[in-house]
Amino acid sequence: MTITATRQPDREGKSLPSVRQSAVASPGSRIVRVVAGTVLALVLLITAVAASLFVGSRTVDPTVVWSVLIDLPGATISGDLTAALAPGGGSEMDEVVVAARVPRTITAILVGAALAVAGAGLQGATRNPLGDPGLLGLTAGASLAVVLGLALAPTAGATGVALFAVFGSLAAGAVVVGAGKLGADSGTGLVLAGAAVTAGCTAVTSSLVIALPGVLDRFRFWGLGTVSRSNATEIGTALPFIVVGLVLVLAGAAALDALALGDDLARGLGVGPVAGRAVVLGGVVILSGVATALAGPIAFLGLLVPHLIRRLVAVGNRVVLGLSVLVGPAVLLVADTVGRVIAPPGEIAVGVMTVAIGVPFLIAMLRMNRGVSGS
Amino acid sequence: MTTTVLERPSDTAGASDIVRKLAGHRRRHTLLVIAGLVLALAVVMAVRILLGRYTVTIPDFLSILGGATIPGATFVVMEEKLPRAILGAVAGLAFGASGALFRRVLGNPLASPDILGISHGASAGAVAGMALWGLRGLELVPAALIGSAVALAIVLAASAGRHTGIVGQRFLLGGVAVAALGAAVITQLIARLPLAGAQEATVWTVGSVSGATVERIVWLTAALVVLLPLSAWLHAALRTTELGPELAVGLGSRPVPTRAVALGVGTVLAAAATAVAGPLAFVALLSTPVATALGRGRPSILASALTGAVIVVTADIVASEALNSVDLPTGVVTGALGAPAMLWILLRSRKVA
């Protein structure tokens, strides 16, 4: 990367921010920035986890929170985790509240990591700064497939739901990427294709929800996007899928850095553009699908987090993807915790919070015209 | 040089004759298209009222209109079929005219109030009015207007420079963001509302003409009587802007104020229709290209409005008859069928690619 930068800094510098950045910063200071960024992200994540466990619409004495948390490993070892986490598992009201926050926090960590990495992967693989599973219609496709799957096979378990979701996000992603191949290949074109897919999928989803109210009762308010409804079984089912997805995207990260130089140069560096992109997009599809199955459609997180990291730390795809694993959960946890306390007595769903944060961010991005092609 | 100048006078008479003849042809064709669309609207409305799960014969329908009471039939026609057909038609007119105005002002095949989030903003305003201030019925109209104005303001904030006006394609992205924001606000507020059922909630998420009442029809018709002639005038006044801003100024039009007024009227039309029928997706987007194709490339705002009405009434027929047991909201049909059409427009328009 540095070699390319020194060879042709003026020719490639403008179109390739990653190269320009590494040309400006010496390798040493870049490592310092990455290490500092990682430490900062870890601190942020730990703070966010603590806030998510200790803060809520009901004020709970911190000592009670501690006692519940310390009891949890014991409950896990005795194989009674589901009972311990189920509502009514604890004797005191406060303990119930805290016990409900634990799966919520775990869900937010998993979903946040999945969506942030999926967004960063999409941005890299489509070379489009507006990559986001929500904006490009992947989550809407996953929602439709879950509802359709449950309508056809009402007895499907958590694994079935996750598979439906992955299939749906694969189909939606194929349509959007296909539209990109057919001509709508700018950032604007992809986002508009995603908007069309989202609108179509939402229409069919709501018609199914209306037509089959009995079967789909649990999905009536699923469209909100919330991390508070999943139980231990669903989390346990989603975990292996998310790990596979993360590994796929991170494995393709090296290919993404080469792809940022253009398809021809990437081929020259020994990276097949099709194969590299396929691995990353495969991981992205799995991550978006499973995250949607777990928490409903959550948009803009995948857009927000990679841009934040690029702005504050560094621009290489590997760094952005790696840090997304930490920053994504932190941002989602903060959004969820703020949503709990911002409008008492009710809660604002985290899917609404991410949109409320993401829209001003996107508008600011558009106004500054940062790398938005076709504008 | 001199010869051409000298030759011209002899030719102008013939040339202007040809031009006048061609213009007459086109005008006649436009009138023909509009007459055809009126006929098509009458046919689909007749189908909507007379056929379907509950069939009414034409003599029965006429005697019901005349005031006769036929047990069962009178109720179904007067309370359900007739109001739905009329509300669908007027809402479609409003969406179609709004789409034509947006298209003309922004000069982009995808510029329409549903893509720009205007309808979602209006719907979010109406839902907020219901959830936070307990508004009902026509009281929702001002709330919807405020919502749509906020949506338009956000889109403009994302895309318009102080001196340059609206530039490039950024307004489309801003619109997608605003639509997402509106949808999020709607779902969050509806989860809190004690609505009778999913059916009532869907009016505001996808749009439906099932909530047709006489006062809603009268109100929207009154709004159309005022706004349709105004938008037709604006549409014609902005015809020169299709030649590009510089040439338009050179031809003596003042594009910026006219464009601003046209955007405002288009927004009010979309908000008025949304306040009574919800955000019927893609009606505004699709009616203008269809009408333009019918008019051999000459866009007429009246043809667009009528196409919108035909689309909504047809979609309502499909929505109420597609599934035997359930009455689907109209917006589900326009959304499901409009999405592929939007992708097609997107791929065809080289401006966005």
Side-chain angles (χ1 to χ4, degrees):
Chain A
M1 239 172 80
T2 358
I3 298 165
T4 340
T6 44
R7 256 188 221 156
Q8 2 175 272
D10 46 353
R11 244 187 57 193
E12 303 281 353
K14 275 219 168 109
S15 57
L16 300 170
S18 59
V19 175
R20 184 181 55 189
Q21 184 73 23
S22 54
V24 171
S26 69
S29 81
R30 188 162 173 265
I31 289 169
V32 170
R33 284 178 76 140
V34 170
V35 170
T38 312
V39 172
L40 192 70
L42 268 176
V43 171
L44 193 67
L45 179 58
I46 291 165
T47 322
V49 168
S52 171
L53 289 172
F54 283 89
V55 181
S57 49
R58 182 187 173 93
T59 322
V60 178
D61 189 12
T63 51
V64 178
V65 178
W66 270 123
S67 72
V68 173
L69 290 181
I70 287 163
D71 285 348
L72 266 186
T76 317
I77 290 162
S78 64
D80 204 19
L81 186 65
T82 318
L85 293 181
S91 47
E92 300 269 328
M93 183 66 192
D94 282 356
E95 288 177 19
V96 176
V97 169
V98 175
R101 280 182 199 160
V102 174
R104 187 172 183 165
T105 307
I106 298 171
T107 311
I109 293 173
L110 289 179
V111 171
L115 288 177
V117 170
L122 271 177
Q123 288 168 20
T126 61
R127 263 185 286 155
N128 150 37
L130 296 175
D132 174 74
L135 273 179
L136 296 191
L138 298 185
T139 55
S143 308
L144 171 59
V146 168
V147 171
L148 198 63
L150 283 179
L152 297 175
T155 49
T159 316
V161 169
L163 284 175
F164 292 148
V166 170
F167 181 75
S169 90
L170 176 68
V175 170
V176 174
V177 172
K181 283 266 174 288
L182 288 175
D185 50 356
S186 66
T188 314
L190 283 177
V191 171
L192 289 170
V197 168
T198 305
C201 290
T202 314
V204 179
T205 307
S206 46
S207 72
L208 283 171
V209 172
I210 293 163
L212 307 158
V215 182
L216 301 165
D217 204 29
R218 61 187 271 225
F219 284 97
R220 216 177 118 192
F221 291 116
W222 189 53
L224 271 173
T226 168
V227 289
S228 63
R229 279 166 207 265
S230 32
N231 56 36
T233 329
E234 285 168 345
I235 295 173
T237 318
L239 189 61
F241 281 97
I242 290 182
V243 170
V244 170
L246 287 178
V247 168
L248 279 179
V249 178
L250 293 174
L256 284 187
D257 273 336
L259 283 175
L261 302 170
D263 284 0
D264 291 340
L265 210 51
R267 217 172 277 126
L269 289 170
V271 178
V274 177
R277 231 173 251 154
V279 169
V280 173
L281 287 178
V284 166
V285 160
I286 294 175
L287 289 175
S288 335
V290 175
T292 310
L294 206 54
I298 293 179
F300 286 103
L301 186 77
L303 177 78
L304 198 69
V305 171
H307 280 284
L308 221 55
I309 297 168
R310 237 170 253 143
R311 207 84 206 272
L312 299 176
V313 186
V315 284
N317 271 305
R318 261 173 294 184
V319 179
V320 171
L321 281 168
L323 281 180
S324 291
V325 179
L326 299 176
V327 180
V331 172
L332 197 65
L333 281 168
V334 170
D336 186 38
T337 313
V338 172
R340 281 182 224 167
V341 294
I342 197 171
E347 288 190 356
I348 301 226
V350 69
V352 177
M353 288 300 294
T354 55
V355 175
I357 303 167
V359 166
F361 180 83
L362 175 61
I363 302 235
M365 237 175 94
L366 293 177
R367 277 220 72 98
M368 290 189 293
N369 210 2
R370 274 176 58 87
V372 180
S373 53
S375 57
Chain B
M1 266 311 268
T2 32
T3 44
T4 43
V5 170
L6 283 176
E7 268 167 23
R8 236 177 226 167
S10 60
D11 267 354
T12 30
S16 64
D17 255 5
I18 291 170
V19 167
R20 204 169 299 141
K21 216 174 192 177
L22 277 176
H25 265 297
R26 302 196 71 172
R27 205 168 301 134
R28 222 168 303 142
H29 183 73
T30 310
L31 285 178
L32 210 66
V33 167
I34 288 174
L37 282 169
V38 170
L39 189 69
L41 180 60
V43 168
V44 288
M45 283 180 78
V47 169
R48 179 73 192 88
I49 295 168
L50 301 176
L51 302 180
R53 225 170 288 146
Y54 191 100
T55 19
V56 184
T57 60
I58 296 176
D60 275 0
F61 174 65
L62 291 178
S63 58
I64 289 169
L65 280 190
T69 311
I70 301 167
T74 302
F75 181 81
V76 172
V77 170
M78 297 308 281
E79 298 294 320
E80 157 89 15
K81 290 186 151 198
L82 188 61
R84 267 182 89 149
I86 296 176
L87 186 70
V90 283
L93 283 173
F95 276 124
S98 172
L101 276 181
F102 271 88
R103 164 96 187 249
R104 169 84 19 121
V105 173
L106 299 173
N108 186 299
L110 287 168
S112 85
D114 31 23
I115 305 292
L116 296 185
I118 307 290
S119 327
H120 285 91
S123 186
V127 172
M130 276 195 289
L132 305 178
W133 299 290
L135 305 178
R136 285 286 173 273
L138 284 185
E139 296 167 350
L140 294 174
V141 170
L145 279 175
I146 294 172
S148 64
V150 170
L152 182 66
I154 299 177
V155 173
L156 291 179
S159 56
R162 189 174 294 169
H163 303 295
T164 50
I166 296 168
V167 284
Q169 315 288 315
R170 274 188 285 169
F171 64 89
L172 290 172
L173 293 174
V176 171
V178 171
L181 187 63
V185 170
I186 293 166
T187 29
Q188 174 69 38
L189 289 174
I190 275 185
R192 281 187 176 190
L193 270 180
L195 289 179
Q199 190 83 29
E200 201 180 334
T202 51
V203 171
W204 301 106
T205 47
V206 295
S208 163
V209 292
S210 61
T213 60
V214 175
E215 59 166 3
R216 286 182 174 181
I217 292 170
V218 169
W219 183 85
L220 189 56
T221 313
L224 276 179
V225 166
V226 177
L227 292 175
L228 261 189
L230 180 61
S231 33
W233 179 77
L234 286 165
H235 195 256
L238 283 170
R239 215 165 108 199
T240 45
T241 57
E242 290 205 333
L243 305 168
E246 297 87 0
L247 206 52
V249 173
L251 287 169
S253 66
R254 299 173 59 211
V256 173
T258 323
R259 287 176 85 188
V261 173
L263 269 192
V265 172
T267 305
V268 172
L269 276 170
T274 308
V276 295
L280 295 169
F282 297 126
V283 174
L285 175 76
L286 291 183
S287 48
T288 305
V290 172
T292 310
L294 288 176
R296 294 195 196 144
R298 184 190 167 123
S300 146
I301 188 166
L302 201 56
S304 298
L306 285 167
T307 311
V310 173
I311 290 176
V312 173
V313 178
T314 312
D316 192 38
I317 294 173
V318 175
S320 56
E321 304 298 331
L323 296 178
N324 259 333
S325 49
V326 201
D327 199 5
L328 286 176
T330 323
V332 161
V333 174
T334 61
L337 301 181
M342 174 183 169
L343 276 178
W344 187 68
I345 295 176
L346 176 66
L347 291 179
R348 256 182 44 131
S349 73
R350 287 284 131 196
K351 275 186 169 178
V352 180

